[in-house]
Amino acid sequence: MVKVLAFKHYDFDDPTAFEQWAEQNGHQLRITDPACGINIAWLADTDLLIICGGPMSAYDDDKYEWLREEKAFIRKAVEQGIKILGICLGAQMLAEILGGKAYRHSVKEIGWHLISRTEDSHPWTSWMPDQFFSFQWHGDTFELPPGARWLARSEACGHQAFAWGDRVVGLQFHLETTPSCIEQMMDKWADEMVDAPYIHSAERIRAGYSRSEESFRMLHTMLDQIAASS
């Protein structure tokens, strides 16, 4: 049994993909919002830390005091060799913590975008196809931390995935997002859906909902690889 701790950063984020995987495989999953408080003692009971996305930025420490606490927790998890998967905001925080930098990108990337793997690889992602579509919703990006392996890119955003050592992977893209969650994103963050090169229309996004099932399969395969890794 793998003990998983997931940090969720907004109320309507849908953890269905993680819940399904944990239930199907007999793993223990705890989901919590870091803004509600973090207990450093959780580290002793965590095999895998999943850091999910969120509407805030990794560099918003002055706005959100809890963000500093979350980063301190993540740093401790890295030091203790806990397996970590960071997604979007989570990847950006990992990049910063590991010596890189998160910053505002020149473009926003919203919709189903093509991800291309690089020539480098990591055991958690080496099975992935050379190209695949995944959902995106972000305006920030990150520079690779020193010693990281660059794993994936998209046309709009060069850094889509990286690995640091054997136990840390960051993904800019969202394999976990459900159509119902996307609908709420488009409603609550409608002001971001402007006419721009890498921002898809609501109709185009809805036309891609059939890709969610394959995204879930990819995420579950990745989680299986993580769980099996030493």
Side-chain angles (χ1 to χ4, degrees), residues 144-194:
L144 296 177
R149 280 177 274 176
W150 177 35
L151 302 180
R153 63 168 77 88
S154 70
E155 181 178 309
C157 186
H159 294 155
Q160 286 287 344
F162 74 92
W164 188 85
D166 297 329
R167 292 181 156 238
V168 176
V169 164
L171 308 177
Q172 181 59 66
F173 50 91
H174 294 274
L175 295 174
E176 82 287 355
T177 309
T178 63
S180 62
C181 185
I182 295 172
E183 286 292 333
Q184 292 191 72
M185 288 178 175
M186 291 193 295
D187 176 49
K188 295 179 183 295
W189 303 332
D191 59 324
E192 296 189 42
M193 298 190 65
V194 299

Side-chain angles (χ1 to χ4, degrees), residues 86-146:
I87 299 171
C88 197
L89 171 65
Q92 294 158 13
M93 281 199 285
L94 281 170
E96 180 185 292
I97 287 166
L98 296 169
K101 180 183 178 183
Y103 58 94
R104 181 67 64 186
H105 195 21
S106 58
V107 297
K108 287 188 176 182
E109 197 174 27
I110 296 174
W112 299 94
H113 291 274
L114 184 67
I115 307 297
S116 300
R117 287 182 54 198
T118 66
E119 294 180 357
D120 211 338
S121 65
H122 183 275
W124 297 359
T125 62
S126 59
W127 52 272
M128 285 180 152
D130 289 340
Q131 291 189 317
F132 57 92
F133 284 92
S134 182
F135 188 72
Q136 306 259 16
W137 194 304
H138 69 101
D140 288 340
T141 187
F142 55 85
E143 64 181 27
L144 296 177

